[in-house]
Structure formats: C-alpha cells, structure tokens
Amino acid sequence: MSVLVYIEHAEGSVKKTSLEAVSFAKALSEGEVIAVALGSIDENELANVGKAGADKILHVDDEKLNAGVIQAHAEAVAQAYKQVGANTLVLAKSSLGDAVAARLAVKLDAALVSNVVELPDTSNGYKVKRSIYTGKAFAETTVSKAHKILAVKKNAVDLKTDGAAAAVEKVNFDIAGDNFATQITSTDKATGEVLLPEADIVVSGGRGMKGPENWNLIEDLAKELGAGTGCSKPVSDIGWRPHHEHVGQTGVKVAPSLYVAVGISGAIQHLAGVNSSKCIVVINKDAEAPFFKAADYGIVGDAFEVLPKLTEAVKALK
Ligand code: FAD
C-alpha cells in the first residue's frame, strides 16, 4: 500500500521538515510514496519533493489553499488519502501539521502518533518511538489501527536529496465552502532573514549581551552562518528583542542542526526549547554556567571578545 505525505510550504517554498517527512515515508514504504501539495508552489520546489523520495506529487494548485486554512487542508488531504488508497499518512510535526493531523485522525479513523523520531518497528506489531517531555525522554507507542498518521519530529531523519524526478499530477478536490469558514485576514511576518522555527542554525543571545545595542554581534555571526536569531526570555521581557525570538519552554521550541548560545546561563526552562538541537555551542564567561553541561562544544570567554573573532573565522572559512 502507498504512503501519502502532506507537504507544507511557506509562500511557495516547501518546508525542509516536509522534505524530511518525504524521506521518512520513502524509508518506511514498501509501495509508492505520494505527496500532496496544496496551493501555489513553484515547479522547482516540487522537484525537491521528488529528490527527497516522492514517486508522485498530487498538486492542488488552488490559491484559496495558500493561507493554510486548517479545515480546508484537512479535507483536501483526506480526499487525497482516499483517492490513492493509502494506509499511512506522514507529515512534519508543526503547528499547522498538528491541527491538520488531529482532524485527519477523526476523518480517516486513524491512529495519530506525533513527534516520531524513528521508523516504526514492525517486527512484532507496529511500535513507534516518539519524543516526549520536550525531548527529555522517549515513549514507545503501539498502534493497532489499520490507518496510521505519523507526525515526524524535525531533524529526526536524514534528508534524501538523490531521488528521481517525481511525476506531478494537477488535481482538484471538491472542498465544500464551509471548510473555508475561517478567514485569515492579515499575517504579521517575523522580521529577520531566516525564520526561527525553520532555521537550521540559530544564534541566540541572553542577558550576558548586556543590552540591545550589542545585538549586532549576534546578527553578524548569524548572517555569516545563514542562521536565525533567538534570545532568552528575560531578553524579550525587557524588550531588547521581539517576543517571537524568545526560545524555551514558554517560547519557540527549536531543533536546529546547530544552536549557538551566547551569554545565556542555561536555565532548565531555556533548555526545554533547545535540547533537540543536534549540536549545541555555548559561549559564556562563567565556566560554571549550567549550559555547559548540555553543550557539545563550549567556549569559556567574554562574548564581546569571542563573537567578533568567531564571525571573522566563519567569514574566512567561507
Ligand atoms: P541570566 O540568568 O542572567 O544569565 C546570563 C548569563 O550570561 C550568565 O550565565 C553569565 O555568566 C553570562 N554572561 C554575562 N556576561 C557575559 C559576557 N560578557 N560574555 C559571556 N557570557 C556572559 N527562560 C528562557 O530563556 N525561556 C523560557 O521559555 C523561559 N520560560 C520560563 C518559564 C517559567 C515558568 C520561569 C519561572 C522561568 C522561565 N524562564 C525562561 C527564565 C529562566 O528561568 C531564566 O531566568 C532565563 O533563561 C535566564 O536568562 P539568561 O540566561 O539570558 O540570563
């Protein structure tokens, strides 16, 4: 049986997390991997879905679906799922994905497992490993329903980039008007070149940066690394940085390949938002700062001396 993958995009650019979901589905499926993409998406972007492992892409090229209205997306994906006769839906764990997946679980009478970190173990039943307690533990979930929805955690799988070109089929689904009852009237875009939840590299500053006037040091390093910028909660509470940059238990949870924490002590509430990062680099002048215990690499030093040198070194490397 085939596996269907729900593709998310931001203004036509397919999200990396969705490409990871496609690669996960490719490794999982013994049959075809079919992706469903909703709204206006560039052909080159759809080609990346093929490279990530999709055999075929159903593209509903309807601009009404651009805004990501949850009910409409859930209805379109449900129809796609039934049309292709899939038994598993794979998608990326995300705020839109969570809401769409919950509705699909009801529509398809499917079991939903979220935050999946590994391919299911099918040697004895169907067991799925998922991350819980903001990445501090794993749970094993046994699924007994015939239809399954797996929401894959960011960075949990290696992204495939050598897949063959996928056939793109333009399709239309009959989505009843009441699915568009929610209207998105305006969207406030986060500033900065790289959006924090999507960033593969994040450079974050804490109170050790002393004030907003010093944030150019964080931004310079972020620019050289192609990174998004984040901060600790007090930094956004004081108003040094906007709230959408606040990382942690009560802010944005990130799972980048590289998280650089500068002048952040490493309180448990901050770590709760970053402990799924693949590699953590900590810069702190206090060798006893708790963040060093969670770090892969640490630099004990003054941020105001280390950051310019690090930025120069990255520049030189490039
Ligand atoms: P500080 O604790 O003041 O640490 C500053 C660090 O900078 C120190 O380690 C210091 O050694 C270092 N430093 C100082 N000068 C330099 C320098 N020149 N060079 C290098 N290093 C230097 N916090 C979050 O971040 N996210 C959350 O989501 C969050 N949620 C919370 C929820 C609750 C319910 C509560 C109670 C707290 C929450 N907090 C959260 C706050 C958290 O407990 C910490 O107080 C906060 O993370 C500390 O921020 P900080 O590390 O920037 O500041």
Side-chain angles (χ1 to χ4, degrees):
M1 271 200 162
S2 59
V3 173
L4 184 74
V5 187
Y6 166 53
I7 300 296
E8 277 186 61
H9 63 99
E11 296 179 348
S13 296
V14 173
K15 295 193 174 179
K16 181 174 168 259
T17 46
S18 286
L19 297 176
E20 288 172 358
V22 172
S23 297
F24 180 93
K26 185 67 180 172
L28 169 73
S29 178
E30 284 167 5
E32 253 189 332
V33 172
I34 303 170
V36 59
L38 310 174
S40 314
I41 307 178
D42 188 76
E43 272 178 24
N44 293 331
E45 288 291 321
L46 290 178
N48 289 334
V49 177
K51 287 182 193 154
D55 300 300
K56 188 166 137 185
I57 301 164
L58 303 179
H59 183 201
V60 189
D61 193 1
D62 179 350
E63 61 181 30
K64 283 216 298 293
L65 293 164
N66 287 351
V69 174
I70 295 158
Q71 294 87 339
H73 275 222
E75 179 57 25
V77 177
Q79 291 190 28
Y81 186 90
K82 287 174 188 160
Q83 181 176 306
V84 302
N87 64 352
T88 307
L89 172 75
V90 175
L91 73 167
K93 156 100 181 114
S94 70
S95 43
L96 176 62
D98 283 348
V100 169
R103 280 167 177 77
L104 281 163
V106 176
K107 281 176 187 282
L108 303 171
D109 189 23
L112 165 58
V113 188
S114 190
N115 255 335
V116 175
V117 292
E118 267 177 17
L119 288 175
D121 173 2
T122 53
S123 56
N124 179 18
Y126 196 100
K127 292 188 189 120
V128 189
K129 186 173 174 185
R130 63 193 186 92
S131 165
I132 56 169
Y133 300 139
T134 59
K136 286 193 211 64
F138 297 106
E140 194 183 72
T141 304
T142 301
V143 180
S144 51
K145 287 213 173 212
H147 293 285
K148 299 162 185 80
I149 301 176
L150 305 178
V152 181
K153 187 174 178 183
K154 184 180 175 186
N155 268 338
V157 285
D158 289 333
L159 178 59
K160 191 175 147 62
T161 53
D162 59 354
V168 180
E169 190 183 320
K170 298 269 182 200
V171 289
N172 272 313
F173 296 119
D174 187 15
I175 304 170
D178 57 356
N179 288 298
F180 292 97
T182 303
Q183 287 192 3
I184 294 166
T185 51
S186 72
T187 309
D188 283 339
K189 280 195 195 151
T191 52
E193 287 176 16
V194 183
L195 294 181
L196 192 52
E198 309 301 326
D200 199 40
I201 303 177
V202 174
V203 182
S204 240
R207 254 194 313 218
M209 288 307 295
K210 313 286 187 235
E213 66 280 8
N214 298 320
W215 234 261
N216 61 313
L217 295 174
I218 297 281
E219 284 166 343
D220 288 350
L221 178 61
K223 192 168 166 228
E224 287 307 322
L225 290 171
T229 53
C231 66
S232 65
K233 182 173 184 293
V235 161
S236 63
D237 286 349
I238 314 163
W240 293 358
R241 298 298 292 174
H243 275 291
H244 63 74
E245 287 198 2
H246 151 201
V247 171
Q249 180 189 319
T250 47
V252 183
K253 286 166 194 64
V254 294
S257 300
L258 173 63
Y259 186 78
V260 185
V262 190
I264 303 177
S265 57
I268 187 124
Q269 296 90 352
H270 188 84
L271 295 179
V274 308
N275 56 15
S276 294
S277 307
K278 270 195 182 156
C279 178
I280 295 179
V281 175
V282 169
I283 302 169
N284 198 304
K285 69 174 186 183
D286 175 8
E288 301 299 318
F291 221 145
F292 283 120
K293 291 203 179 90
D296 296 284
Y297 298 93
I299 301 174
V300 180
D302 187 326
F304 298 93
E305 287 171 22
V306 175
L307 277 176
K309 287 183 186 160
L310 196 55
T311 305
E312 277 312 309
V314 174
K315 222 183 251 178
L317 259 180
K318 282 161 78 186

